[in-house]
Amino acid sequence: MSDTDQGTPLPPQPAGPPPATPVGGFDFNRPTIIGLLYAGSLLTGVSGLIGLVLAYVWKAEPHEPWEATHYTYLIRTFWFGLAGCVLGALTLIILIGFVIMTITCIWMLIRTVLSLVKAQQRAAMPDPQTLLF
C-alpha cells in the first residue's frame, strides 16, 4: 500500500529544476573551468593549453548567450598572453624580458580572475574584444 492509499498526502513536489547555483556555492560552469585551468597554468604551464582547447570546443557547441563572451575573452587572453611570454623570452638577453614576462603574467591573472568572477555571476563579459581589463 502506498501513502496515498492510507489517506496521508504526499509532500508537494518542486515545480521546476533546482537553481543552477546554490546560495553560497561555487558554480563549475564551462567558463569557470577554463579560467581555473588558466590560473593553474601559472604553476604548471600546461593546463592553459587544455583550457584553450576546451574554449574552442565549447565555443562551437550550443551554450548560453553569456558564455560566448567568456570564450572570446579567454581565447584572446591566452593568445595575447602567449605572445607576451614569447616576446619576453626573446628579450631576456637584454634583461627587459623579465619585466615583459612579469607584466604579462599579472595581465593574464587579472583577466582570468575577472572572467571567473563574471562566470560565477553568470554574467557576460562587458567587452570581450578588449585587450585591457
Side-chain angles (χ1 to χ4, degrees), residues 22-123:
V23 176
F26 191 78
D27 184 16
F28 281 94
N29 53 49
R30 290 175 173 185
T32 297
I33 293 169
I34 296 167
L36 291 174
L37 287 168
Y38 280 10
S41 72
L42 296 174
L43 299 174
T44 65
V46 180
S47 63
L49 288 172
I50 297 168
L52 178 69
V53 170
L54 288 175
Y56 276 116
V57 169
W58 287 339
K59 186 177 183 178
E61 293 179 356
H63 51 270
E64 295 182 38
W66 64 270
E67 289 179 322
T69 61
H70 284 270
Y71 297 138
T72 300
Y73 187 81
L74 289 166
I75 289 169
R76 290 174 58 86
T77 298
F78 178 87
W79 287 117
F80 282 103
L82 180 65
C85 287
V86 168
L87 179 64
L90 292 175
T91 57
L92 278 174
I93 193 80
I94 56 174
L95 301 178
I96 195 169
F98 292 110
V99 175
I100 293 172
M101 291 178 87
T102 301
I103 290 171
T104 301
C105 182
I106 292 169
W107 176 82
M108 286 187 71
L109 186 61
I110 291 171
R111 284 179 61 100
T112 300
V113 168
L114 289 174
S115 178
L116 284 170
V117 169
K118 288 287 191 181
Q120 288 303 297
Q121 299 169 351
R122 293 182 165 265

